[in-house]
């Protein structure tokens, strides 16, 4: 991607219409982010139908801005109210709320905003530099290589996100089965419809995602008690010299850790946030720093930079290979498909003007987010204090309307509501949602590339080195997940649960002594 193309992308984005879209996206995303229990995935799912009425650049720009805003909003409530808007904001709650009680809430919020901004800018540059190179490499991918990559993505997310490979793979298979309902794209036969003409139209991605991440999350939150929402004073937004100096290193480390880990399927922003927090805490303990857990600014700067860096890193495999690294990227992939855009190398070759505009929009959205949200901290705190028993039903109605607008079908409204209850049941059963989503999104591509691969050669799996590489990675991921589960089970097992033979041997050894 040359300089002229990038400048053309900025010329496309820096128009009043696109700037307004970016502003509304940042505002709406932050609004959802400050609501307890909700986050960027829910925000994207709820607002997804509205973006289908926009042109592709405006639609992806709004979804990206919603994504950033949702992540920032979660850190705001985590610092002010000790209520993480999402999992990746938990480190900010651990370190930010003690600072709030000491009257340093403004400094904590400013540090989170600046760290997120720095990570967003550096991550955008990373997308600009790494994306085209990876896209040129992906031009050598045929159906077998794509089949192997999708297989690795599903196994990686099933193992890394769910914690249990069996549960993760089971949910991924369930998602793939749900994606097959309707007419087969190749044979034209009905699949898993059980003779129902209603099911023959299949499950559209929009109502399914709104149900899982919109209605499902709201129902889970409504069943919980409203938390204490007393808000302390924000105070000055200017960190002290010592706080600024202490946050520089964690911000830089978190940015690069998050970005490169974000390239790997399954490495969600929440995962990178916790990894960085544990790293920074260990570094502090080695230096004899006892502030962690009681209000360390490093515990805010590093994780906030890491989750934003991972968010940006996820766009590289999405645009270059068509592989989402998590639920948020899966929703943006669905948006690209709705617009008729096929993610992959062609986005950087045949549609370089579109890709340049999107990359330029990332920079613009990060600037808007920084300028918009710091002055509105008081507003977000007041919104977070509204009882969720009032806000939740309003959002549910918006979800159902959004599901109806996608195809003007009452069947989609029922699908949306049904998948909302399915998400609630899965949460109660402690079954992971991310593998199901990835299976639903990637299932048709997995089926198509597998068919094409066997058509090309029945022994393709032994003839294509890149496929073999991804197959080995998939097996290694499964093996590592099983090993980790066995080791965790052994470490957590009580002494009395050891096998009788082991206890008898231990007893004999003790009597011999």
């Amino acid at each position: 991607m040359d300089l002229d193309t990038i400048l053309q992308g900025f010329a496309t984005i820096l128009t009043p219409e696109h700037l307004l879209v970016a502003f509304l996206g940042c505002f709406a995303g932050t609004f959802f982010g400050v609501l307890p229990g909700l986050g960027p995935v829910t925000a994207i799912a709820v607002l997804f139908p509205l973006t289908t009425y926009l042109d592709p650049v405006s639609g992806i720009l709004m979804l990206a801005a919603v994504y950033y805003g949702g992540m920032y909003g979660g850190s705001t409530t985590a610092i002010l109210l000790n209520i993480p808007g999402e999992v990746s904001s938990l480190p900010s709650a651990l370190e930010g709320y003690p600072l709030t009680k000491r009257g340093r809430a403004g400094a904590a919020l400013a540090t989170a905003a600046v760290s997120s901004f720095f990570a967003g800018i550096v991550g955008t540059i990373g997308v600009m530099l790494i994306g085209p190179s990876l896209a040129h490499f992906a031009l050598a991918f045929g159906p077998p290589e794509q089949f192997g990559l999708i297989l690795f993505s599903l196994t990686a997310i099933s193992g890394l996100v769910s914690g249990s490979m069996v549960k993760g793979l089971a949910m991924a298979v369930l998602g793939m089965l749900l994606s097959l309902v309707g007419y087969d794209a190749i044979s034209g036969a009905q699949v898993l419809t059980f003779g129902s003409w209603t099911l023959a139209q299949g499950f559209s991605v929009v109502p399914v995602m709104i149900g899982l991440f919109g209605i499902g999350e709201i129902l889970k939150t409504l069943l919980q008690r409203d938390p204490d929402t007393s808000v302390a004073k924000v105070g000055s937004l200017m960190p002290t010299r010592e706080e600024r100096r202490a946050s520089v290193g964690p911000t830089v480390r978190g940015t690069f850790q998050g970005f490169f880990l974000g390239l790997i399927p399954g490495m969600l922003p929440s995962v990178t946030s916790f990894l960085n927090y544990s790293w920074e805490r260990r570094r502090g303990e080695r230096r004899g720093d006892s502030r962690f857990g009681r209000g360390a600014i490093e515990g805010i700067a590093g994780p906030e930079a890491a989750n934003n860096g991972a968010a940006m890193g996820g766009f590289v495999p999405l645009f270059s290979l068509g592989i989402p690294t998590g639920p948020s990227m899966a929703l943006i992939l669905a948006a690209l498909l709705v617009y008729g855009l096929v993610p992959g190398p062609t986005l950087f070759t045949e549609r370089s003007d579109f890709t340049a505009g999107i990359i330029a929009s990332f920079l613009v959205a990060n600037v808007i987010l920084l300028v918009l949200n710091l002055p509105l901290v008081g507003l977000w705190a007041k919104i977070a204090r509204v009882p969720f028993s009032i806000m939740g039903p309003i959002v549910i109605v918006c979800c159902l309307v959004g599901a109806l607008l996608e195809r003007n079908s009452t069947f989609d409204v029922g699908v949306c509501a049904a998948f909302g209850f399915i998400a609630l049941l899965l949460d109660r059963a402690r079954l992971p949602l991310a593998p199901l989503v990835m299976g639903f999104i990637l299932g048709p591509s997995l089926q198509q590339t597998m068919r094409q691969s066997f058509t090309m050669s029945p022994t393709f799996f032994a003839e294509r080195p890149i496929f073999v590489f991804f197959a080995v990675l998939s097996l290694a991921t499964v093996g590592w997940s099983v090993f980790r589960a066995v080791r965790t089970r052994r470490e957590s097992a009580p002494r009395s649960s050891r096998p009788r033979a082991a206890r008898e041997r231990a007893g004999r050894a003790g009597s011999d002594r």
Side-chain angles (χ1 to χ4, degrees):
M1 188 176 297
D2 54 25
L3 182 60
D4 291 339
T5 305
I6 295 173
L7 293 177
Q8 182 181 358
F10 275 101
T12 302
I13 292 300
L14 295 177
T15 60
E17 296 83 4
H18 287 120
L19 291 177
L20 178 61
V21 167
F23 174 86
L24 293 176
C26 289
F27 188 90
T30 308
F31 173 81
F32 276 91
V34 300
L35 296 177
L38 306 185
V41 182
T42 305
I44 293 174
V46 173
L47 298 174
F48 187 6
L50 299 179
T51 63
T52 58
Y53 294 94
L54 303 174
D55 62 90
V57 174
S58 299
I60 302 301
L61 166 60
M62 172 166 278
L63 291 180
V66 167
Y67 187 25
Y68 302 146
M71 299 186 69
Y72 179 83
S75 64
T76 300
T77 54
I79 293 171
L80 291 178
L81 305 169
N82 200 25
I83 303 172
E86 55 164 341
V87 179
S88 63
S89 300
L90 184 57
S92 295
L94 295 175
E95 303 298 336
Y97 191 64
L99 289 172
T100 297
K101 292 193 291 186
R102 297 208 306 262
R104 300 298 301 159
L109 289 167
T111 300
V114 173
S115 298
S116 299
F117 172 76
F118 178 81
I121 296 300
V122 174
T124 302
I125 297 173
V127 175
M128 195 183 306
L129 296 177
I130 299 177
S133 301
L134 189 61
H136 285 298
F137 170 72
L139 288 172
F141 278 32
E145 289 77 15
Q146 294 174 359
F147 174 52
L149 179 59
I150 295 172
L151 190 65
F152 166 64
S153 301
L154 290 174
T155 54
I157 289 179
S158 298
L160 293 175
V161 175
S162 63
S164 170
M165 177 58 73
V166 175
K167 291 182 179 179
L169 288 178
M171 297 305 295
V173 171
L174 176 60
M176 286 188 282
L177 291 175
L178 291 173
S179 71
L180 298 179
V181 174
Y183 284 101
D184 182 77
I186 297 177
S187 65
Q190 291 188 18
V191 180
L192 299 176
T193 61
F194 307 102
S196 171
W197 289 104
T198 303
L199 288 177
Q201 58 186 303
F203 297 131
S204 177
V205 66
V206 174
V208 170
M209 294 301 112
I210 294 177
L212 291 175
F213 293 108
I215 292 181
E217 293 296 325
I218 294 164
L219 290 176
K220 286 187 290 185
T221 307
L222 283 172
L223 293 177
Q224 301 171 357
R225 296 178 60 185
D226 282 337
D228 180 19
T229 54
S230 58
V231 184
K233 292 183 178 180
V234 174
S236 173
L237 294 174
M238 180 61 66
T240 63
R241 179 179 299 179
E242 290 76 14
E243 289 171 336
R244 292 196 299 269
R245 185 183 298 114
S247 63
V248 170
T251 297
V252 175
R253 288 190 294 269
T255 297
F256 287 96
Q257 290 170 8
F259 179 79
F260 287 106
L261 288 175
L263 301 174
I264 304 173
M267 279 293 176
L268 307 180
S270 57
V271 178
T272 60
S273 176
F274 276 98
L275 288 175
N276 179 268
Y277 180 72
S278 61
W279 183 331
E280 294 297 335
R281 184 158 188 162
R282 284 197 300 268
R283 289 185 84 255
E285 290 173 351
R286 286 197 298 266
R287 298 196 311 267
D289 189 349
S290 60
R291 293 178 299 113
F292 277 88
R294 298 186 299 175
I297 203 73
E298 298 93 330
I300 298 174
E304 287 297 319
N307 67 44
N308 264 43
M312 292 306 309
F315 282 102
V316 175
L318 178 66
F319 286 166
S320 303
L321 305 173
I323 297 296
T325 56
S328 297
M329 292 296 110
L331 289 173
I332 296 178
L333 170 62
L336 290 171
L337 297 176
V338 168
Y339 291 127
L341 298 168
V342 180
T346 55
L347 280 184
F348 286 93
T349 55
E350 301 175 6
R351 299 300 306 271
S352 60
D353 54 340
F354 167 80
T355 309
I358 293 300
I359 292 176
S361 72
F362 294 161
L363 293 172
V364 173
N366 275 283
V367 174
I368 291 176
L369 191 65
L370 181 67
V371 175
L372 171 68
N373 281 315
L374 283 179
L376 296 180
V377 166
L379 173 63
W380 303 131
K382 292 179 181 178
I383 290 176
R385 295 171 64 182
V386 176
F388 201 81
S389 56
I390 297 175
M391 191 67 68
I394 297 175
V395 180
I396 287 180
V397 172
C398 294
C399 291
L400 296 177
V401 172
L404 176 65
L405 291 177
E406 203 268 331
R407 294 190 300 187
N408 291 322
S409 170
T410 55
F411 172 71
D412 287 340
V413 177
V415 168
C416 179
F419 275 90
F421 284 102
I422 289 174
L424 181 63
L425 294 176
L426 293 178
D427 179 70
R428 290 290 184 268
R430 298 177 180 261
L431 293 173
L433 196 58
L436 183 145
V437 174
M438 299 299 289
F440 184 81
I441 296 292
L442 296 177
S445 298
L446 182 72
Q447 180 191 27
Q448 181 181 4
T449 54
M450 183 176 64
R451 286 180 174 179
Q452 292 172 341
S453 299
F454 279 106
T455 302
M456 292 171 58
S457 173
T459 59
F460 74 92
F461 45 82
E463 302 169 356
R464 308 295 283 251
I466 297 179
F467 172 82
V468 173
F469 171 73
F470 285 124
V472 171
L473 283 181
S474 301
L475 292 175
T477 303
V478 174
W480 167 250
S481 299
V482 172
F483 169 75
R484 186 179 61 178
V486 171
R487 186 180 61 181
T488 303
R489 192 179 298 114
R490 286 179 178 176
E491 292 176 351
S492 60
R495 184 181 181 87
S496 61
S497 65
R498 292 184 302 173
R500 173 182 291 182
R503 295 200 301 270
E504 290 177 353
R505 286 195 299 270
R508 287 196 299 269
S511 61
D512 291 342
R513 288 194 294 270

